[in-house]
């Protein structure tokens, strides 16, 4: 790679080598949505190479190399359509903002059929397993009852509360079982136990999936515009963007949604819901209220410290 090379008998000049770009072979035609790399124009440039100094041979050598100006990836079905227009861009290049070269039905067709089978017994086994772990962690923490164990308990129990949330999440999506009544009962028990209104969250989460990534209509991930951010008072900015206050953002979101949006996950007349969902919201809010009442009773029966530790675990989950 240097300007000189050692031959059999002496040193002789070494001419620069130019490396040309070679096209990659395309994938087999029977591969679903196969991609191929196409040869593109190359631009040559020189790269200096530093090699050993000494014996009057030191210095810089130049290596002429070539590299593609740009990379274009096209799907097999787009073969021969290099100049196709995508969202107003007529250059045939890969557009990360364009629709993918496959449909949702193609993804579903590639998933084995047994993965679509909803087994309620298996789903309930996960519920039983997680509930056993939750009570087991509580029993271990109560047995040792010292400040070295409690922080570890908060982390472990908060993780298990998240596991309960995921099971309730699956109930809301209908993937827990094919029985809507079972999904509703299990979802209320699971979500109410961690102070989440089941139907209120289920409906807003459905809205999130229907508008995923939309700056204005996405429900769960709603970014603030500069105008809204500047309109926030100092207390709201402090509570929303300064640790540890953002750890409480989820219950605040459930109560009053994101800044710039109106309504609540607990109120049946919120614009989050349509009139025929009113009874569902009342049911979920009643279950949530019953759980709050149970925690208040336990704080008197077992002592406030035990409820405080449970609340700390809940904050770890949130």
């Amino acid at each position: 790679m240097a300007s000189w090379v050692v031959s059999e008998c002496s040193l002789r000049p070494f001419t620069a080598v130019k490396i040309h770009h070679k096209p990659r072979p395309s994938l087999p035609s029977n591969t679903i949505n196969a991609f191929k790399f196409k040869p593109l124009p190359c631009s040559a440039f020189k790269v200096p190479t530093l090699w050993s100094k000494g014996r009057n041979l030191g210095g810089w050598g130049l290596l002429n190399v070539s590299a593609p100006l740009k990379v274009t990836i096209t799907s097999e079905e787009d073969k021969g359509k290099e100049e196709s227009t995508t969202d107003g861009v007529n250059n045939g290049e890969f557009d990360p903002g364009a629709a993918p070269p496959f449909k949702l039905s193609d993804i579903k067709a590639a998933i084995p059929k047994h993965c679509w089978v909803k087994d309620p017994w298996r789903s309930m086994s996960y519920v039983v397993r997680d509930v056993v772990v939750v009570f087991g962690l509580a029993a271990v923490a109560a047995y040792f009852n010292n400040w070295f164990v409690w922080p570890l308990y908060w982390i472990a129990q908060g993780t298990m509360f998240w596991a309960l949330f995921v099971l309730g999440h699956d109930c809301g999506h209908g993937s827990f079982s094919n029985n809507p009544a079972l999904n509703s009962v299990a979802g209320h028990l699971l979500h109410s136990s961690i102070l989440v209104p089941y139907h209120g969250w289920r409906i807003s989460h459905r809205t999130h999936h229907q508008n995923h990534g939309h700056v204005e209509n996405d429900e769960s991930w709603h970014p603030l515009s500069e105008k809204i951010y500047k309109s926030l008072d100092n207390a709201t900015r402090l509570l929303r963007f300064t640790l540890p206050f953002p750890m409480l953002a989820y219950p605040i979101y459930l109560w009053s949604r994101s800044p710039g949006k109106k309504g609540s996950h607990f109120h049946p007349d919120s614009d989050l819901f349509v009139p025929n969902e009113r009874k569902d919201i009342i049911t979920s809010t009643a279950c949530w209220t019953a759980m709050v009442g149970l925690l208040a009773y336990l704080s008197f029966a077992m002592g406030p410290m035990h409820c405080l530790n449970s609340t700390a675990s809940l904050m770890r989950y949130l």
Side-chain angles (χ1 to χ4, degrees):
M1 302 292 290
S3 301
W4 296 76
V5 66
V6 180
S7 65
E8 295 180 357
C9 301
S10 62
L11 294 171
R12 59 183 177 81
F14 180 68
T15 57
V17 178
K18 189 172 183 178
I19 303 174
H20 296 278
H21 173 75
K22 294 184 179 181
R24 298 175 182 266
S26 60
L27 295 174
S29 58
N30 59 351
T31 303
I32 299 176
N33 297 318
F35 289 90
K36 65 185 183 63
F37 292 87
K38 302 185 301 182
L40 294 165
C42 296
S43 174
F45 60 93
K46 294 183 178 182
V47 178
T49 59
L50 181 63
W51 61 300
S52 63
K53 295 182 180 181
R55 298 182 62 181
N56 298 323
L57 299 177
W60 290 86
L62 293 179
L63 173 67
N64 291 328
V65 298
S66 60
L69 295 175
K70 54 189 176 181
V71 177
T72 301
I73 303 177
T74 58
S75 62
E76 187 66 24
E77 63 184 27
D78 291 334
K79 185 177 182 180
K81 298 181 180 179
E82 297 180 6
E83 300 301 326
S84 62
T85 302
T86 304
D87 294 336
V89 180
N90 188 21
N91 54 12
E93 296 184 21
F94 172 71
D95 182 4
F102 52 84
K103 299 179 180 179
L104 184 60
S105 59
D106 298 327
I107 299 178
K108 291 183 177 180
I111 299 176
K113 292 184 178 180
H114 71 270
C115 294
W116 297 100
V117 178
K118 303 174 186 178
D119 186 352
W121 292 105
R122 185 175 184 181
S123 299
M124 288 303 301
S125 70
Y126 294 146
V127 174
V128 173
R129 179 196 64 184
D130 290 350
V131 170
V132 168
V133 174
V134 165
F135 281 97
L137 289 174
V140 170
Y143 175 79
F144 288 100
N145 192 23
N146 64 68
W147 285 106
F148 176 79
V149 174
W150 284 120
L152 300 177
Y153 167 77
W154 299 338
I155 296 174
Q157 195 71 292
T159 303
M160 290 310 302
F161 285 169
W162 176 253
L164 298 181
F165 176 85
V166 172
L167 290 171
H169 164 276
D170 291 348
C171 292
H173 275 292
S175 59
F176 190 84
S177 74
N178 286 320
N179 189 332
L182 176 60
N183 293 338
S184 182
V185 171
H188 274 99
L189 292 175
L190 291 165
H191 272 190
S192 297
S193 67
I194 53 176
L195 299 180
V196 176
Y198 172 69
H199 280 308
W201 176 87
R202 175 185 64 82
I203 295 171
S204 72
H205 189 63
R206 179 189 63 195
T207 304
H208 158 64
H209 278 288
Q210 292 173 341
N211 301 275
H212 194 279
H214 196 285
V215 175
E216 297 177 353
N217 298 334
D218 195 339
E219 176 60 30
S220 298
W221 306 103
H222 180 65
L224 292 180
S225 65
E226 183 180 6
K227 180 179 179 181
I228 295 178
Y229 177 78
K230 290 182 176 180
S231 67
L232 298 177
D233 56 81
N234 293 332
T236 301
R237 290 187 187 182
L238 176 67
L239 294 175
R240 184 174 174 84
F241 301 107
T242 306
L243 288 175
F245 302 113
M247 296 176 63
L248 301 174
Y250 186 65
I252 294 175
Y253 160 73
L254 291 176
W255 191 262
S256 60
R257 301 177 72 189
S258 300
K261 291 195 172 188
K262 298 179 180 180
S264 172
H265 290 75
F266 299 92
H267 201 294
D269 295 328
S270 173
D271 57 3
L272 269 170
F273 318 117
V274 296
N276 63 357
E277 295 169 335
R278 180 182 175 86
K279 292 183 178 179
D280 291 338
I281 305 307
I282 293 175
T283 301
S284 296
T285 302
C287 291
W288 182 92
T289 304
M291 184 61 193
V292 172
L294 177 61
L295 291 176
Y297 167 76
L298 292 177
S299 65
F300 287 100
M302 301 176 58
M305 291 305 299
H306 285 284
C307 283
L308 178 62
N309 287 317
S310 298
T311 303
S313 301
L314 184 59
M315 291 301 103
R316 169 64 178 83
Y317 141 73
L318 295 174

